[in-house]
Amino acid sequence: MNGRLKAAGRAAGGAVGGGLLVAGTTSDAGKSVVTAGICRWLARQGVRVAPFKAQNMSLNSFVTREGAEIGRAQAMQAAAARVEPTALMNPVLLKPGSDRSSQVVLLGKPVGELSARGYHSGRQEQLLGTVTDCLAELRRTHDAVICEGAGSPAEINLRRTDIVNMGLARAAKIPVVVVGDIDRGGVFASFFGTTALLSKEDQSLVAGYLVNKFRGDVTLLEPGLAMLRGLTGRQTLGVLPFAHGLGIDEEDGLRVSLRGAVRESVVAPPANAGRGPQPHGAEVLRVAVCAVPLMSNFTDVDALAAEPGVVVRFVDRAEELADADLVVLPGTRGTVRALEWLRARGLADAIARRAAEGRPVLGICGGFQMLGELIEDEVESKAGTVEGLGLLPVRVRFAAEKTLARPAGTALGEPVEGYEIHHGVAEVTGGDEEFLDGCRAGSVWGTHWHGSLESDGFRRALLRRVAADAGRAFVPAPDTCFAALREEQLDRLGDLIEEHADTAALLRLIEEGVPDGLPFVPPGAP
């Protein structure tokens, strides 16, 4: 297998590597997971593979080593592929600032704000050349590139300007596999309808289907799969079972009800015969994350949720902070709007009372900015001067240029690495101690550094401080390694593909392209 695929990618004369587009019948059908799983399966075979998503709408982003901002899902897919993430892997990133507008990040750098109408009325089409150039460069330097689509390829109202689904597949001449979430119901109708709503030219690239999140006896599904093949002329290339904790870093935000919700750690280690991770001390530690509007990089708390004995909840009511040992104010694309939300819901007063009582609060990025004394914002909200929560001696001024960095340092006597994505520039005017370019005042901590909690020694040191301040008999596990847990998770994704997908058929598509003779399914695009 490896020899054939590598030959395709490294043939003399400038030949490019193979490609595949993973589309979905809907958003959240499992495209990101399947893309990561295929990347890990290929990487384990010795194939040099890269992920790619032409256009991503997400508030969860990451900074590459060259200082480019890309979607966190693509960074995690790069980890699955065992390659360093670059801006080429996600050339267009849209970061919503409201229901109708987004910041456009092009090749890792912000280039302005656009309304949805403005973007789809012309700007998106102009980016097709940039997108295909990035994909071509990845295919020149890798044996295979696994592309992820967005939403559904059958969004016929957006097809003319599409650069991420069939528009990309047509331009790059790569086959398409459509993923459907059977747990939602209606997967056969979704596969058939998705195909039948595409034009004849687009349908010619749809090579097969993947069923995702199946529960039960797969033999009961087989008659339907046979009928689907009869109706569409296309094979189902695998039935992936439902499995908890397989989602990589989400793109579009929290999809579960926030009230009382416990975020399931996607990397939580098994322990105690299936009863779940247990604390090493006598008590658990409860973390409440305020689910602010336009919440960004809430994946920061995944490392806390991975710790045995740490319970993480996303909350939106003041009373839900009462039993929390640590309250986290996460990042947001709307700092001033989030402040207004905290005040309107009584959360601001509840957080202030916590601070006065010496109970721990941690602010990250936008959350750090909200904890300060004053915010001057003529960039993000254009609200001018706004009072912060006044819990940290910090003044924030929003700059037109975005800070994108990969800092490293020490805190609480431990090495720490992180990444920064913010327009707000913080001036620290006091505090009890410096803290990751931010500060601590009493039991309130603030930093612009995302990802710092993934540093194991630092995370354990912080949890010990939190437990002491909260009066909890909690002891962090001495051996939780977040990076190793992530690797285990990515291997599980690779196992899903290797054990439950037709890998020979997937390989043929990647190496040889779309098979000839795929039939047209009427009526086609209107």
Side-chain angles (χ1 to χ4, degrees), residues 225-250:
L225 301 179
M227 285 186 276
L228 180 67
R229 184 164 189 174
L231 288 166
T232 66
R234 289 158 175 85
Q235 178 184 356
T236 297
L237 303 175
V239 177
L240 309 182
F242 188 99
H244 290 283
L246 286 180
I248 62 174
D249 295 354
E250 289 108 322

Side-chain angles (χ1 to χ4, degrees), residues 11-166:
V16 298
L20 179 71
L21 174 68
V22 178
T25 56
T26 63
S27 293
D28 203 33
K31 299 182 293 290
S32 296
V33 165
V34 169
T35 300
I38 294 174
C39 284
R40 176 49 59 101
W41 161 63
L42 288 172
R44 292 196 304 208
Q45 313 308 312
V47 174
R48 182 166 170 78
V49 59
F52 180 78
K53 185 160 186 173
Q55 173 193 293
N56 192 352
M57 178 172 281
S58 178
L59 288 172
N60 284 337
S61 57
F62 182 76
V63 178
T64 67
R65 294 204 179 278
E66 71 266 32
E69 185 179 9
I70 66 172
R72 271 198 68 99
Q74 280 59 66
M76 194 55 61
Q77 289 163 354
R82 295 175 176 156
V83 295
E84 188 68 30
T86 73
L88 293 174
M89 296 172 184
N90 180 204
V92 181
L93 174 63
L94 305 178
K95 303 194 71 175
S98 71
D99 291 339
R100 296 189 177 184
S101 68
S102 294
Q103 182 181 69
V104 180
V105 179
L106 180 61
L107 293 173
K109 304 296 180 183
V111 295
E113 297 272 341
L114 274 181
S115 68
R117 180 182 294 272
Y119 184 67
H120 289 288
S121 295
R123 179 59 168 160
Q124 188 176 29
E125 283 182 285
Q126 297 168 10
L127 295 173
L128 181 59
T130 299
V131 161
T132 53
D133 286 348
C134 290
L135 177 55
E137 178 61 24
L138 287 174
R139 293 180 74 183
R140 278 193 292 269
T141 54
H142 294 79
D143 306 323
V145 179
I146 310 303
C147 309
E148 179 188 344
S152 163
E155 291 168 350
I156 54 180
N157 57 314
L158 302 176
R159 175 62 185 89
R160 182 181 61 83
T161 59
D162 172 51
I163 63 172
V164 65
N165 289 308
M166 303 314 298

